[in-house]
Amino acid sequence: MLVNGKPVTSESTFRTETAEGHFDIPFTFDATGLEGHDVVVFEKLYVTHKDGEKETDVEIASHEDLTAESQTIKLVGVPEEPKEPEKPEEPGTPDIAPPVKTGDDTPILLYIGIAAAALLLAGVSGFLYWRRKNQ
């Protein structure tokens, strides 16, 4: 990609600690006028061989696929500034969130009524059993 007639490039020198991993290379450019377009980033990896005082860069890998989603950056419009949060209606009133509601909403009287009905049923059944046994 050319910006003002010059290619956008970024490079970094690094030394790996392991055979696997990743390395981030940040780069910036002026994307004015590119809204709604896709930019494809190409990657090349070179290794530098030193032979005495002479250094030679040898390309060992490249990733230059125009159709690769992993290399594509979709440029969208500039986001709008966020709106300011609503201020309290009365000056000097602190902006306090309502209390958090926790616990069970089931009314306790429902459970008490079920327990009372069970006790009443057990009492009536017991009385009828005792009466029949004694007659």
Side-chain angles (χ1 to χ4, degrees):
M1 178 175 90
L2 300 177
V3 173
N4 296 327
K6 297 178 183 176
V8 176
T9 62
S10 181
E11 66 179 62
S12 183
T13 303
F14 61 95
R15 183 176 305 267
T16 61
E17 300 294 327
T18 63
E20 296 179 2
H22 72 278
F23 188 80
D24 295 327
I25 302 175
F27 64 96
T28 59
F29 64 94
D30 182 7
T32 304
L34 296 177
E35 295 137 359
H37 292 85
D38 294 345
V39 175
V40 180
V41 178
F42 290 169
E43 304 158 314
K44 291 185 180 183
L45 180 62
Y46 294 88
V47 65
T48 302
H49 290 287
K50 291 186 178 182
D51 186 16
E53 301 245 343
K54 183 179 177 187
E55 289 185 357
T56 307
D57 290 335
V58 178
E59 183 179 320
I60 59 171
S62 77
H63 194 192
E64 301 178 272
D65 183 0
L66 280 172
T67 62
E69 286 292 319
S70 62
Q71 291 179 243
T72 303
I73 300 170
K74 300 186 182 300
L75 300 176
V76 295
V78 178
E80 294 180 13
E81 290 292 321
K83 296 179 182 175
E84 289 188 31
E86 293 181 19
K87 298 192 179 186
E89 293 179 15
E90 298 177 24
T93 305
D95 189 16
I96 300 175
V100 178
K101 188 174 183 182
T102 61
D104 188 3
D105 289 339
T106 307
I108 192 75
L109 292 178
L110 175 65
Y111 292 124
I112 293 173
I114 292 172
L119 286 173
L120 181 62
L121 183 60
V124 169
S125 297
F127 175 73
L128 293 176
Y129 176 77
W130 174 79
R131 187 172 163 195
R132 182 177 250 188
K133 186 177 178 185
N134 289 334
Q135 283 184 359

